[in-house]
């Protein structure tokens, strides 16, 4: 059963965060080596200008990132653009 309650962290300048996500019903997220490579390329393409990656781990049905927000103003602009 899915949780109805959501917890959202407010990002802060120079804050370091553990960002993670898991698939629904633990279904596979990455099914081939190319899936892993594609995910990293997309992460780099869209977020590398906004965050610094300290560590990451991609597993079959979830991922973890340890990131630092470079500039909250830029990240907020990115969030607005991505919600169009």
């Amino acid at each position: 059963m899915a949780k109805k309650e959501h917890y959202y962290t407010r990002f802060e300048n120079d804050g370091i965060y553990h960002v993670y996500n898991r698939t629904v019903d633990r279904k596979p997220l990455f099914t081939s080596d190319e899936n892993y490579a594609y995910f990293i390329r997309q992460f780099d393409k869209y977020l590398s200008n906004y965050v610094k990656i300290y560590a990451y781990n991609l597993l079959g049905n979830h991922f973890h990132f340890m990131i630092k927000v470079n500039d909250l103003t830029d990240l907020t602009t990115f969030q607005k653009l991505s919600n169009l």
Side-chain angles (χ1 to χ4, degrees):
M1 176 188 272
K3 293 181 182 179
K4 294 186 180 199
E5 223 176 278
H6 291 286
Y7 174 77
Y8 297 101
T9 299
R10 287 186 174 255
F11 288 111
E12 297 178 8
N13 280 331
D14 296 323
I16 297 176
Y17 301 94
H18 175 209
V19 178
Y20 58 94
N21 204 346
R22 182 177 58 83
T23 61
V24 175
D25 294 332
R26 298 183 179 176
K27 292 183 180 175
L29 175 63
F30 305 107
T31 58
S32 70
D33 289 345
E34 180 53 33
N35 290 149
Y36 290 98
Y38 178 78
F39 185 89
I40 292 299
R41 283 194 308 269
Q42 294 303 101
F43 190 96
D44 184 48
K45 178 180 176 181
Y46 291 105
L47 291 172
S48 64
N49 291 330
Y50 306 104
V51 300
K52 178 178 180 179
I53 301 170
Y54 287 106
Y56 69 92
N57 190 1
L58 306 180
L59 298 150
N61 65 355
H62 66 286
F63 59 83
H64 298 263
F65 284 89
M66 185 65 66
I67 63 168
K68 179 179 179 182
V69 177
N70 293 335
D71 183 352
L72 190 58
T73 306
D74 289 342
L75 186 60
T76 303
T77 301
F78 171 77
Q79 289 172 328
K80 288 178 183 176
L81 291 173
S82 65
N83 287 328
L84 294 176

